[in-house]
Amino acid sequence: MANDKIWLSSPHMGGNELKYIHDAFDENWIAPLGPNVTGFESDIKKYLGGNVEVAALSSGTAALHLALIMLGVSNGDEVICQSMTFAASANPIKYMGATPIFVDSESETLNICPDQLEIAIEDRIKKGKKPKVIIAVHLYGMPYQVDRINTIADKYNIPVIEDAAEALGSTYRGENCGTFGELAILSFNGNKIITTSGGGALVTKTEKMKQKAVFLATQARDDAPHYQHSEIGYNYRLSNISAGIGRGQMEVLDERVSARREMFEFYVNLFRDVEGVRLFSEPSTDYFSNHWLSVLTIDSEITGFSREDLRESLAALNIECRPLWKPMHMQPVFEDSPFYGTGVAETMFDHGLCLPSGSNLSDNDRSRISNAIKSHLKKDQ
Ligand SMILES: Cc1ncc(COP(=O)(O)O)c(C=O)c1O
């Protein structure tokens, strides 16, 4: 139908997901453990190059929460976090009773700015507290400046949690996103490049760390025949049914990355001759983005129309676009948290738009998007 909604990013099944779910039913593994969970973990491990361990969890947010616990964050600590991100990157800092210290973006990748990061660390140390952890995010699939961030983290000896929720399939200098942090997290939420309907993973460097994550995610049961607990635990493991969806999705991950990258090229061509519109492409060959979402910014003084004008034109035709993540330092819930920056994230938020980017968009969807954008551009000439 011509007016069916075109979504920003919707689930795209590969076909084999149901087979793995049937296996779970046939074997009665209807639980937060079982062969699909183990298989999904080893599929991800293999995809990431084999040098990491993976714990499948109920969400990316749960993975971040466990990561903070495992890095020893506690009440009163300070944790640095990229300001421009989804709230889930920062909320777990509050679960720990810690204070988020937000840092601005740089305009090349939209991710945490190395200069502002170092200014923030120096200033927090001067004020009496060295930040306990840095949370860096590969926004919309674009890798952050991994080398510069790691150099700063090493210099001050602060571990990095790599939030790769949006970046499975992206690489930096040929290495997979999800392998750079002391710990990394992935998300398989319904809008991500692959999904388990809801789910996530914690990526660790050692088997011991993985076992610690699994222990915490299964109510921290001590090794005893009865129920014995010496630590507070959580119910954060992924179900064997959801993991079955994940196994099917891993089979098509590379196809999904190619399709999303093609969507990005589609927009590059569409806006090629439009002055004042910038599409966020890789800054150099060091970067390979899965282009989970295609992102642009609009300089309304040049184009004569704003981000909202374009978004509303497309919404009227049932085509979903979204402003970029509203930075955390601008959010009422975090108004008391310190921020270090120069206004980059604010400007990006004011002018940036995420475009429909799903791997399941049809030729018909693309021609609707193309016609809608072209007629908007004509209107403003
Ligand atoms: C950058 C970022 N971090 C963390 C999350 C949290 O993942 P989940 O929704 O699986 O809890 C998401 C997505 O939802 C995200 O986009």
Side-chain angles (χ1 to χ4, degrees), residues 200-218:
L202 185 69
V203 184
T204 69
K205 299 224 180 286
T206 63
E207 176 63 27
K208 196 166 159 219
M209 287 293 267
K210 174 189 169 169
Q211 287 316 324
K212 177 78 185 179
V214 171
F215 168 77
L216 290 170
T218 49

Side-chain angles (χ1 to χ4, degrees), residues 59-61 64 85-86 88-89 137 163 165-166 185 187 189 192 199 325:
S59 70
T61 312
L64 274 159
T85 184
F86 183 46
S89 303
V137 190
D163 182 341
E166 303 174 1
I185 73 106
S187 168
N189 198 353
K192 295 296 183 290
W325 300 124

Side-chain angles (χ1 to χ4, degrees), residues 156-338:
Y156 294 94
N157 199 18
I158 305 173
V160 174
I161 296 176
E162 180 190 356
D163 182 341
E166 303 174 1
L168 184 59
S170 300
T171 65
Y172 177 82
R173 297 203 170 154
E175 303 282 330
N176 289 288
C177 289
T179 62
F180 299 120
E182 179 69 29
L183 293 166
I185 73 106
L186 301 171
S187 168
F188 309 112
N189 198 353
N191 62 359
K192 295 296 183 290
I193 192 148
I194 61 163
T195 183
T196 57
S197 74
L202 185 69
V203 184
T204 69
K205 299 224 180 286
T206 63
E207 176 63 27
K208 196 166 159 219
M209 287 293 267
K210 174 189 169 169
Q211 287 316 324
K212 177 78 185 179
V214 171
F215 168 77
L216 290 170
T218 49
Q219 305 290 18
R221 281 180 62 186
D222 292 339
D223 192 11
H226 55 279
Y227 287 95
Q228 175 82 16
H229 305 274
S230 329
E231 274 183 67
I232 296 296
Y234 303 84
N235 184 4
Y236 278 170
R237 212 54 172 125
L238 186 67
S239 103
N240 195 53
I241 306 293
S242 301
I245 307 176
R247 295 212 71 187
Q249 290 273 278
M250 283 305 289
E251 293 178 5
V252 291
L253 174 54
D254 282 334
E255 285 170 43
R256 300 296 180 258
V257 173
S258 301
R260 298 236 176 201
R261 288 177 59 82
E262 275 167 30
M263 276 312 295
F264 180 75
E265 284 309 316
F266 163 79
Y267 290 117
V268 169
N269 288 327
L270 207 51
F271 286 100
R272 189 176 297 285
D273 299 321
V274 184
E275 268 184 60
V277 172
R278 174 188 169 201
L279 271 146
F280 276 85
S281 52
E282 289 99 339
S284 77
T285 52
D286 285 345
Y287 298 80
F288 177 89
S289 172
N290 67 9
H291 285 300
W292 170 57
L293 294 187
S294 292
V295 173
L296 55 69
T297 51
I298 294 171
D299 183 340
S300 55
E301 288 193 0
I302 300 176
T303 56
F305 62 87
S306 68
R307 179 283 301 289
E308 275 308 275
D309 294 335
L310 179 59
R311 192 185 66 75
E312 283 166 12
S313 279
L314 295 172
L317 297 169
N318 223 1
I319 300 172
E320 184 185 34
C321 297
R322 290 268 177 98
L324 305 198
W325 300 124
K326 182 174 179 180
M328 292 304 112
H329 73 276
M330 297 169 74
Q331 300 283 0
V333 70
F334 291 121
E335 67 186 2
D336 295 335
S337 299

